[in-house]
Amino acid sequence: MTQRRKFLKFLAASPLLANYSAFAQEVEETLGQRLTDPSEVINVFEMEAIAREKIPPAHFGYLATGVDSDTTLRANRAGFSRFQIKPRRLVDVSQIDTSVNVLGTEASSPIFLCPVGSQGAYHVDAELGTARAAAAKGHHMILSTQASTPIEAVVEARDAPIWHQLYATNRWENTVAMLQRAEAAGCSAVCLTIDLPGGRNTETQQLLMREDTRNCSSCHTGQAKPMLDGLNTRGGMSLSDPSMTWDVIGRMKEVTNMNVIIKGIEVGADAALAVQHGADGIVVSNHGGRAVETGLGTIECLPEIVTAVDSRIPIVIDGGFRRGTDIYKALAMGASAVGIGRPYCFGLGAFGQAGVERVLDLLNRELQITMRGCGTPTITSIGPDYVQDAGHRVLRGRLGREIF
Ligand SMILES: Cc1cc2nc3c(=O)[nH]c(=O)nc-3n(C[C@H](O)[C@H](O)[C@H](O)COP(=O)(O)O)c2cc1C
């Protein structure tokens, strides 16, 4: 029984809180009607609620957290309300084609699975469950340096080239070793994450850790990150290099034939620098609100980045995408693909591989409905004419509740 259930039971039983007992009882009954079949889940938000019940609190805290007061995390969601969709009518939308090709990577959907570390913390299926779901649904996948599963096994489970997400270490020889290992495993690109040069304050994680009564030290022993196996750790190894600057792109290109993609761009000037230094692609990202606090939502960053890149390299974007309409807006504004992080991990935590598949089905369905409704039967037909910037965010949603 989770802490939340215990608390609700306490509320229901407390003579001091008589007014709340009926309410608490109702919530407890709702929680009792737990969905047991992923096909019953109707959207990503519902999947999140199930994951919250099933994943141990400390691990859910790691998944859910932003930084400080989670303001950037919320900005990622709120940003979408600033943009409205402008549908066109009487177009033949009897056949919808969501396939994309980004840097030679073909996928049946523009929804990419972002690198999320330590997926063994959410379900025993871990990265293999994610990879098998991605393979079943034809989605492209990016694997974290911090994965709980060896990259070779994940490539085999995905059964197609994936992209390797890289945290450059404080020792260049280790960075080179990881690049060579990823290339040998069959990765077609490396995504260098540049938005965490060191330190962050994850308070939501710390709050949820307090709810967890398990003895964590029995699990958290030794090295659980296979990508770091065999690296030179003499004198300590850090997964960030605060001295890194733009010349890292050229240095990486000297030692790998993989495409080099820069993940964590938030402003147009940096997008231009990435192109100038030879990047093959960029990911517009604020690390899911886990890097710099009080930033813009990534969708709000997109217009100036699209202008700066000027179609020279593909742009992937992630951060807060939970609806087909969110994905549609980013495609209309110039993204080639959209990444999701937490949503598929909610699915993984709730139901393992089947939950990831359900999340992908739900988002694809919503995207296809939007494409049909707007008269845009292919991804390339979705352009800037189909979205408008209202210039302000709408912060209230259904029944006046906050939308995030
Ligand atoms: C629990 C968690 C772990 C993450 N681990 C990594 C990582 O190892 N490398 C990385 O580049 N990004 C990592 N990210 C960021 C994601 O790749 C992605 O940018 C972000 O999750 C997108 O936002 P969303 O979760 O709202 O979809 C992580 C995100 C979460 C939530």
Side-chain angles (χ1 to χ4, degrees), residues 24-77:
Q25 192 63 45
E26 195 182 313
V27 178
E28 171 66 14
E29 277 162 15
T30 315
L31 288 173
Q33 296 161 9
R34 191 103 59 89
L35 301 178
T36 52
D37 183 341
S39 68
E40 293 169 338
V41 179
I42 59 169
N43 61 35
V44 168
F45 304 102
E46 200 168 70
M47 195 65 92
E48 176 174 0
I50 299 169
R52 172 79 174 89
E53 288 288 310
K54 288 203 180 173
I55 300 175
H59 294 185
F60 188 82
Y62 172 66
L63 180 58
T65 199
V67 284
D68 294 1
S69 307
D70 291 352
T71 311
T72 307
L73 177 85
R74 288 196 299 275
N76 277 345
R77 287 293 310 134

Side-chain angles (χ1 to χ4, degrees), residues 62-63 114-117 122 144 146 165 167 193 263 285 287-288 290 318-320 322 340-343:
Y62 172 66
L63 180 58
C114 283
V116 171
Y122 316 129
S144 166
Q146 307 256 46
Q165 178 270 324
Y167 283 125
T193 301
K263 177 173 185 280
S285 176
H287 217 106
R290 298 159 80 86
D318 70 37
R322 304 288 182 268
I340 54 167
R342 294 181 186 86

Side-chain angles (χ1 to χ4, degrees), residues 87-330:
R88 298 292 306 276
R89 308 294 187 212
L90 290 180
V91 178
D92 180 355
V93 286
S94 52
Q95 301 293 327
I96 296 292
D97 178 3
T98 58
S99 62
V100 291
N101 183 328
V102 182
L103 294 171
T105 295
E106 292 187 351
S108 62
S109 166
I111 305 167
F112 288 8
L113 278 62
C114 283
V116 171
S118 310
Q119 292 180 24
Y122 316 129
H123 195 275
V124 287
D125 287 358
E127 287 86 0
L128 292 182
T130 299
R132 288 179 186 132
K137 304 292 171 186
H139 285 248
H140 182 52
M141 171 176 181
I142 311 168
L143 185 71
S144 166
T145 298
Q146 307 256 46
S148 335
T149 312
I151 193 165
E152 296 78 8
V154 177
V155 173
E156 194 185 333
R158 174 59 188 87
D159 202 20
I162 62 172
W163 293 351
H164 161 56
Q165 178 270 324
L166 176 72
Y167 283 125
T169 66
N170 52 347
R171 247 178 226 266
W172 185 245
E173 66 182 276
N174 284 335
T175 302
V176 174
M178 286 195 279
L179 285 170
Q180 289 172 342
R181 180 172 169 186
E183 193 165 351
C187 294
S188 57
V190 51
C191 275
L192 176 71
T193 301
I194 57 165
D195 52 21
L196 281 183
R200 59 179 175 184
N201 177 34
T202 51
E203 288 184 10
T204 295
Q205 178 179 6
Q206 290 171 54
L207 289 171
L208 288 182
M209 279 170 82
R210 289 185 190 151
E211 271 191 25
D212 210 318
T213 50
R214 300 164 311 144
N215 173 10
C216 299
S217 56
S218 59
C219 281
H220 290 259
T221 53
Q223 169 61 277
K225 313 282 186 223
M227 197 65 201
L228 308 184
D229 286 348
L231 299 186
N232 182 351
T233 55
R234 258 195 332 271
M237 193 184 63
S238 154
L239 276 183
S240 75
D241 174 4
S243 69
M244 195 164 68
T245 54
W246 289 103
D247 66 2
V248 70
I249 299 175
R251 293 167 72 205
M252 286 169 69
K253 289 198 154 234
E254 278 170 19
V255 296
T256 182
N257 292 316
M258 293 185 287
N259 283 310
V260 174
I261 297 165
I262 300 300
K263 177 173 185 280
I265 302 273
E266 294 188 58
V267 303
D270 276 351
L273 281 167
V275 177
Q276 189 185 316
H277 284 84
D280 298 295
I282 56 169
V283 182
V284 177
S285 176
N286 54 28
H287 217 106
R290 298 159 80 86
V292 175
E293 179 63 320
T294 73
L296 287 168
T298 52
I299 194 75
E300 297 170 288
C301 301
L302 188 56
E304 75 169 43
I305 292 174
V306 168
T307 304
V309 168
D310 195 19
S311 303
R312 289 175 290 174
I313 55 172
I315 300 171
V316 180
I317 180 171
D318 70 37
F321 289 81
R322 304 288 182 268
R323 286 287 192 190
T325 48
D326 303 335
I327 296 160
Y328 187 91
K329 288 174 188 176

